[in-house]
Each structure stands twice: as C-alpha cells, then as structure tokens.
Amino acid sequence: MRAARTGLHGLFAVYKPSGTSCKLVRHTVETKLLNELNSLERPAPRQRICFLPGTVEGKDGKELTVSVTQLPMLADHPLVSGPAFTHLKMGVGQRLDIKSSGVLVFGVGHGNKLLDKVRDAHLSRTYTVRGLFGKATDDFSDTGKLIEKTTFDHITGEKLERILAVIQGSNHKALLQCANIDLKTQEAYELAVRGLLRPMEKSPPLITAIRCLQFAPPEFHLEIHCLHETQQYLRKIVHEIGLELKSTAVCTQVRRVRDGAFTLDDALLQTQWTLHDVRNAILQCRPKVETELRNSMAFQEICAGSSQEREAGLSQATGDP
C-alpha cells in the first residue's frame, strides 16, 4: 500500500474551470486520489501466534492440553483500522480567483519543496484576456454593477495597438529597474534579447509582453505575459485600455494558458484527475521543471555577479578598501 504513494511526489497541473475556487479544486483532486489509493488491494493481515487451551481424553479422564495456532490480527482489519490513507500533503502554486480559469499548479508530497523553489524563481505567466468596449462596472468585469455606457465606434485596431505598445514600453522600463542587473554585461544583454529578464524579488505587477489576438468591436482578445500579477490587476488593465481609447471596457474572461513551465497541454481535465494520470503528469513535467529551475539559478548567478561588480566599482569610486 505504501508503495502506491511513491509516484505521488512532484508537480502537476490541472485545468481550473471558472466559477470554482482553488480550494474546492484542491479538495476534489485530493479526495479522488485518496479514494483510489484506499481502493487498492491491502496486504494480508499480520498473523499472531496463539496458544489455545483444549482437552483430550486420557487415562484419568479429560486432560488439559495447549495447541499452537496462528490468527489474523484484528487491528489490521479495515473495519478496525479504517482507511489506510486519510491525507495527502498538497500545496497550490499561484492561485486563480473564482472568476478565472486555466492552468493551476499543484505540488504533492516532496513536490511542495519544489513548489517553493518555483515561487522563488519568479517565473512569468501567460493569460488570454477578453474584453468588451462600451461598458464600465464597479469591479471591471462584465458581471459587476453597471456604472456607465459609452460609444466605441471611433476605436480602431491601430489605436488599440498603439495603446498596447505604450503599456508594454512603460512596463519594460519598470522591469529593467526591478531586475537590478547591469545590462552592459554580455550575459545580461543576451537575457534581455531573449526576454528572460525578471526581478528576483517581490515587485509590483509587471507586463513583459502584450498583444492583440483578435479585434472585432465591441469585443477584443489579448494575450498578456506578466509577473507578480493578480487576475483583478488584468481586469483593471482592460478597464484602463478603454479609458485611454476615450471609451470604457469590461473584462469578460481571464484564462491562464501558461504558468512557468506548465501549459494548457500539461493541465489535466477533471476527467483526468485520477491516480494514473496524475502520476504520468508528474513524470512528464519533471524535466521541464528542472530545466526552468536550472535557468533560474543561472540567472540568479548573473544577478549576483552584476551586484558584486557594482559594489566593487562603488568602493573604488569612494576610496573604500
């Protein structure tokens, strides 16, 4: 029975539907895994040696004898011991709010330590966000309380692209400041060209890339790559895009399509939340996670080298030993 848990150590991703909380998804996955583990065949109960008294007919009548036998230990009976598995150590990665859907990463068993390392790596995430021009609500979503209605006939695809370019440019400047790395080094330059620069500490939400996938007024569809974001922050971005275009906009959908190394192809659907599929997902995703963590360690070393060079230069400039 214990061997059944050996494959349940690592990271895997599921697809969280909208309208469902992360807590409920975690509970559902854990319950299904526990039910399957407890349905596996149990080992035979341990045997204990017993000395049973008895009587036999002797010359002087009945004589007392003792016979040796083996009996199963009642403590190992399922009705006495209960389920073999009652809890799984499961952690949740970057959460999704109840209105959002998409890739949700879990760590199980020893994978919880990996989950901490992934958080410390500050990996980027990708969302597809749908918006609707002409409305404004109190929570920036299409289900909020309607505050205002506006026209949107003057909005064109070119105007939207210009606003997106401004958003990406301003966030890129903030990213360079938060990354705290000397761009004059060859390693840092190569990272910047590949779009791998990122802050290694907690920072305000940052958008590393944003583009329009579809523009069909009043609807539009965006792809956003970001760091340290919340789903509400992305809804607010949609609202601000509407204001910049002299109109209003609400967010109709926030869907995470990538969380670090995990994509939609790695996310298990609800019908796949089984022991077999979770084990396979952990094995398949392990190389991708290890690669991301190695890249993160290399980036941290470059950041540390840049910091030491700056400190050395500052010491020389001030004349400190």
Side-chain angles (χ1 to χ4, degrees):
M1 285 292 286
R2 297 296 170 184
R5 286 181 74 168
T6 54
L8 286 178
H9 293 284
L11 301 180
F12 66 98
V14 303
Y15 187 89
K16 186 193 93 68
S18 60
T20 306
S21 67
C22 291
K23 184 178 180 181
L24 179 59
V25 172
R26 180 198 171 282
H27 175 73
T28 303
V29 173
E30 182 184 17
T31 301
K32 287 190 174 185
L33 293 178
L34 287 174
N35 287 341
E36 283 199 59
L37 286 171
N38 287 318
S39 67
L40 299 175
E41 184 179 357
R42 290 194 175 201
R46 292 172 294 172
Q47 301 291 317
R48 62 190 181 97
I49 298 176
C50 296
F51 298 91
L52 301 179
T55 56
V56 295
E57 292 292 337
K59 296 180 180 179
D60 301 327
K62 293 183 178 181
E63 296 180 356
L64 183 64
T65 62
V66 176
S67 61
V68 180
T69 186
Q70 287 187 335
L71 294 176
M73 294 185 65
L74 293 179
D76 293 342
H77 195 282
L79 295 179
V80 178
S81 62
F85 302 98
T86 58
H87 173 71
L88 285 176
K89 188 179 179 182
M90 285 184 61
V92 186
Q94 177 73 12
R95 296 177 181 269
L96 288 166
D97 62 27
I98 195 167
K99 295 180 182 179
S100 307
S101 61
V103 179
L104 181 63
V105 179
F106 286 107
V108 60
H110 302 324
N112 285 279
K113 294 181 180 178
L114 274 178
L115 205 59
D116 293 334
K117 292 182 179 178
V118 169
R119 288 195 191 100
D120 294 338
H122 302 277
L123 303 177
S124 65
R125 286 171 283 274
T126 304
Y127 293 81
T128 56
V129 179
R130 294 185 181 273
L132 183 71
F133 288 121
K135 292 182 180 180
T137 60
D138 59 345
D139 64 355
F140 313 132
S141 73
D142 58 333
T143 58
K145 182 180 178 182
L146 184 64
I147 296 176
E148 184 182 6
K149 283 188 175 183
T150 56
T151 59
F152 54 85
D153 298 337
H154 61 284
I155 300 176
T156 64
E158 293 181 359
K159 292 181 179 179
L160 177 59
E161 291 288 354
R162 283 200 294 269
I163 296 299
L164 298 183
V166 170
I167 293 174
Q168 182 167 328
S170 61
N171 277 265
H172 184 67
K173 291 180 181 178
L175 176 61
L176 295 179
Q177 294 175 352
C178 295
N180 194 27
I181 188 172
D182 186 7
L183 291 177
K184 295 180 182 179
T185 62
Q186 181 64 25
E187 296 89 347
Y189 174 77
E190 291 176 357
L191 287 172
V193 170
R194 294 162 58 191
L196 297 178
L197 284 182
R198 59 182 182 272
M200 295 312 295
E201 296 178 355
K202 191 63 177 175
S203 71
L206 294 170
I207 293 176
T208 58
I210 182 170
R211 67 188 182 103
C212 181
L213 298 177
Q214 184 181 16
F215 179 70
E219 298 179 357
F220 60 98
H221 191 191
L222 306 176
E223 181 183 83
I224 303 177
H225 300 252
C226 46
L227 292 158
H228 303 157
E229 80 297 334
T230 64
Q231 290 76 57
Q232 187 64 13
Y233 169 77
L234 299 177
R235 296 186 188 98
K236 187 178 180 181
I237 289 293
V238 171
H239 169 73
E240 291 176 350
I241 289 173
L243 295 180
E244 291 293 334
L245 291 169
K246 304 298 187 291
S247 181
T248 53
V250 293
C251 182
T252 59
Q253 184 191 62
V254 176
R255 184 175 184 235
R256 186 191 288 163
V257 296
R258 183 183 63 83
D259 187 348
F262 296 89
T263 65
L264 285 176
D265 293 334
D266 303 314
L268 301 177
L269 301 177
Q270 191 165 359
T271 54
Q272 298 173 307
W273 296 352
T274 63
L275 186 61
H276 174 74
D277 289 321
V278 168
R279 278 175 174 166
N280 287 342
I282 290 173
L283 288 175
Q284 291 173 6
C285 294
R286 188 169 293 160
K288 296 169 64 175
V289 174
E290 291 175 351
T291 301
E292 285 285 356
L293 292 178
R294 279 198 301 269
N295 293 339
S296 176
M297 290 180 64
F299 180 73
Q300 288 178 5
E301 290 175 359
I302 293 174
C303 290
S306 297
S307 178
Q308 291 174 1
E309 289 176 1
R310 284 196 300 271
E311 290 177 0
L314 182 61
S315 297
Q316 292 177 1
T318 57
D320 294 336

